[in-house]
Amino acid sequence: MAPTKNVRTISQEAFDELVKENIDDLGMDPAEALEDAIQTLSLQGVDLSGIVKCVPGEGGIKDHPAMQCLDKLNQLNADSKDQFGGQDLVQITALLNDLSELCISNKEDSGNAAIVAKNGGIELVCLICSKIPTESRQCLVSCFKAMASLLTDVQSTESFRASGGPKIVVGILSDGIRDLDILKSGFTVVAAAASGNEVVKQSLMDLRVDELILQVLSGQTQGSIQSLYDAIRVLLTSDDNRVVASEVYGYARRFAKIGIAKALVESLHGGLSSPSLVSASIALKAVAVNDEICKSIADAGGIDVLLKCVDDSGEQRNKTVARTCCSLLSKLAGSDSNKSAIVEKGGMDKLIKLSARFSDDPSVLQE
């Protein structure tokens, strides 16, 4: 792994002291002192993520809603021994829901996740997760949601890995293999944790997350698990710029070898009525990394079902499905034998017809 660039950071105490110095020594008013501290540190290349940016004495870190939530969770954790029970689980569930609501990335105050992470939130949530009884489904789901909301960058995913997060999550997923809510929230954590972090990907693969994925795909009967397909895509994407040579190609071959490619083809048979069609197609494209795998997908009926989806997407004017299916078909056509099969099955005619229907959409035509 390539060395990471040194990032300059600052503690909350040092930041508060700088603002205080601006007020006491330079005679700035509080708002000006705060703005000057932020600008000065930013120009110096200091990473201010995780810092509560306020005037000392006016709503400090202890008054921050996310930190108050974290403090209460810390207290409940300190009061418990090996496992939570009774009323504690009710309180923990409510606090975890509050924490995830405060930290979701699309909120205006999206810096909350960094603040919680910088103050030990990821380590605490992982510890709490390991102490929740398996039968406490609602609490586990809330814990997974809070965990996913905190995994926003490499530093946070490294904290997750160092805290034993991969083992904890895979263990709970294995125990809750028939619980749709556990699977949805758990694979959301897998996708978030593996994003941009090759070491977490490797940890999850060492824990045989691929076999777990196959088990879920093979036995899935209750509904679509969008996050499962997201997890496959992320695990097979080389997206860690610290890494010189990613292992994802080998992971894709492993996925195909145990039968995940075939299982994904099966999931396409629902056609346009299936809410997972697009996600499953993207996941399958990530698995199709060489000629052998592309052929195996065709042998499993992949080309037939894709051509039908291409036809149906044109008739129903579904641009998203058209783009996605054409993109996967193009990847499968990397195999010469698949090229011939696509032509023999009338694929060229279907693609020409689709092009005519979407003649005004460059994104579809490009695929």
Side-chain angles (χ1 to χ4, degrees):
M1 179 175 288
T4 56
K5 294 181 179 179
N6 290 327
V7 178
R8 297 185 66 189
T9 59
I10 189 170
S11 68
Q12 185 69 49
E13 292 76 13
F15 178 83
D16 291 344
E17 184 59 32
L18 180 57
V19 178
K20 189 172 183 298
E21 286 177 4
N22 282 346
I23 297 171
D24 296 344
D25 298 347
L26 301 179
M28 295 181 183
D29 65 62
E32 182 187 10
L34 177 62
E35 186 60 31
D36 179 81
I38 293 171
Q39 287 187 5
T40 300
L41 292 169
S42 297
L43 288 171
Q44 293 175 359
V46 177
D47 181 10
L48 293 177
S49 61
I51 296 296
V52 178
K53 303 173 185 69
C54 63
V55 177
E58 297 182 12
I61 190 165
K62 290 189 178 297
D63 299 317
H64 193 281
M67 287 305 302
Q68 289 180 340
C69 189
L70 197 64
D71 287 343
K72 291 174 184 175
L73 284 169
N74 249 319
Q75 188 59 55
L76 284 168
N77 178 63
D79 292 342
S80 73
K81 293 183 180 179
D82 298 327
Q83 200 173 65
F84 297 112
Q87 190 61 31
D88 282 351
L89 286 170
V90 176
Q91 293 181 59
I92 287 170
T93 301
L95 287 167
L96 288 169
N97 288 338
D98 290 343
L99 189 65
S100 58
E101 179 62 26
L102 286 165
C103 294
I104 52 177
S105 59
N106 62 348
K107 289 183 73 69
E108 288 183 12
D109 190 8
S110 58
N112 287 347
I115 291 168
V116 172
K118 186 161 186 155
N119 288 277
I122 293 170
E123 294 83 351
L124 176 62
V125 172
C126 285
L127 181 57
I128 287 172
C129 199
S130 69
K131 294 165 72 173
I132 299 172
T134 307
E135 63 272 14
S136 302
R137 294 175 53 255
Q138 188 176 355
C139 194
L140 285 171
V141 170
S142 296
C143 199
F144 278 162
K145 288 180 178 178
M147 197 179 286
S149 73
L150 296 173
L151 300 175
T152 59
D153 54 23
V154 173
Q155 287 75 28
S156 60
T157 55
E158 275 298 299
S159 297
F160 171 81
R161 181 188 64 81
S163 302
K167 185 175 182 180
I168 293 168
V169 172
V170 170
I172 294 171
L173 282 170
S174 299
D175 290 338
I177 198 73
R178 299 186 183 280
D179 190 303
L180 195 60
D181 290 333
I182 292 286
L183 294 175
K184 284 180 177 179
S185 56
F187 279 111
T188 298
V189 175
V190 170
S195 294
N197 195 318
E198 186 81 12
V199 185
V200 172
K201 285 180 173 68
Q202 185 177 352
S203 297
L204 290 164
M205 292 299 291
D206 289 345
L207 291 164
R208 299 183 177 178
V209 72
D210 52 331
E211 295 177 11
L212 180 61
I213 287 170
L214 178 62
Q215 191 178 351
V216 176
L217 283 172
S218 301
Q220 184 181 323
T221 56
Q222 304 180 56
S224 173
I225 304 175
Q226 170 75 37
S227 58
L228 174 69
Y229 302 110
D230 291 340
I232 295 172
R233 172 184 55 78
V234 171
L235 286 165
L236 303 184
T237 299
S238 177
D239 57 2
D240 189 339
N241 57 19
R242 303 170 300 166
V243 174
V244 176
S246 175
E247 297 292 326
V248 297
Y249 177 79
Y251 299 158
R253 292 179 61 193
R254 199 166 123 183
F255 272 47
K257 185 176 181 180
I258 68 171
I260 288 178
K262 185 177 179 180
L264 286 170
V265 172
E266 287 297 317
S267 68
L268 299 181
H269 283 287
L272 270 69
S273 62
S274 169
S276 62
L277 175 61
V278 170
S279 301
S281 298
I282 293 171
L284 186 56
K285 183 181 176 182
V287 179
V289 296
N290 62 23
D291 188 81
E292 181 184 358
I293 297 173
C294 288
K295 284 180 182 177
S296 72
I297 292 171
D299 292 342
I303 289 176
D304 293 311
V305 70
L306 272 177
L307 290 177
K308 184 178 187 311
C309 289
V310 165
D311 241 2
D312 293 345
S313 68
E315 290 179 5
Q316 298 186 29
R317 304 291 296 177
N318 191 318
K319 295 179 181 181
T320 302
V321 171
R323 282 195 303 269
T324 307
C325 289
C326 286
S327 180
L328 175 54
L329 197 63
S330 176
K331 185 76 175 284
L332 297 181
S335 163
D336 286 341
S337 63
N338 284 355
K339 286 185 178 72
S340 300
I342 291 168
V343 174
E344 288 169 6
K345 295 174 185 293
M348 293 305 296
D349 293 336
K350 294 179 188 297
L351 291 172
I352 290 169
K353 188 189 295 184
L354 186 74
S355 298
R357 282 174 167 155
F358 291 106
S359 59
D360 59 341
D361 193 317
S363 64
V364 175
L365 295 177
Q366 180 180 354
E367 295 297 347

